[in-house]
Amino acid sequence: MTTDGRTPPVVSPGCALCARPGDFGPHDPTVPRSGLCPACIAAGKPTRNGLEQAVVIVAGQSLAAAESLSLATATPEQLAYHLGAVKRSLRAVLQLLAPV
């Protein structure tokens, strides 16, 4: 353990994700992509299609949660939260459809 309370990075004999042999630097869990080989770093870059799928999945989850809310027994705080979630989800989906 270091003087500031953190554990030092672990030196691994290969890629921290796919275990490809080689020296890709130390793996530090607090630093994204540390200890990864170039192929794993390139595979981790999000594509437009991947981002669109993620937005649609999250929006669908928010809508499903809002649909499961019983309006007869919901508190005002629950209604406000779920309406805000629906609004954010709709905005995110509409931004996907907007011209870039």
Side-chain angles (χ1 to χ4, degrees), residues 49-99:
N49 188 35
L51 291 173
E52 288 175 354
Q53 289 177 355
V55 167
V56 170
I57 289 169
V58 171
Q61 290 171 344
S62 297
L63 291 174
E67 288 175 352
S68 68
L69 181 67
S70 172
L71 297 178
T73 60
T75 64
E77 293 83 12
Q78 289 174 324
L79 289 173
Y81 173 79
H82 284 289
L83 286 175
V86 170
K87 177 183 169 186
R88 286 187 300 276
S89 297
L90 183 58
R91 181 183 302 145
V93 171
L94 291 175
Q95 285 176 345
L96 288 177
L97 301 175

Side-chain angles (χ1 to χ4, degrees), residues 12-64:
S12 61
C15 178
L17 189 61
C18 70
R20 176 179 291 165
D23 183 17
F24 304 110
H27 174 65
D28 186 354
T30 61
V31 179
R33 299 189 177 125
S34 66
L36 300 181
C37 68
C40 286
I41 291 172
K45 292 181 181 174
T47 61
R48 171 81 181 177
N49 188 35
L51 291 173
E52 288 175 354
Q53 289 177 355
V55 167
V56 170
I57 289 169
V58 171
Q61 290 171 344
S62 297
L63 291 174

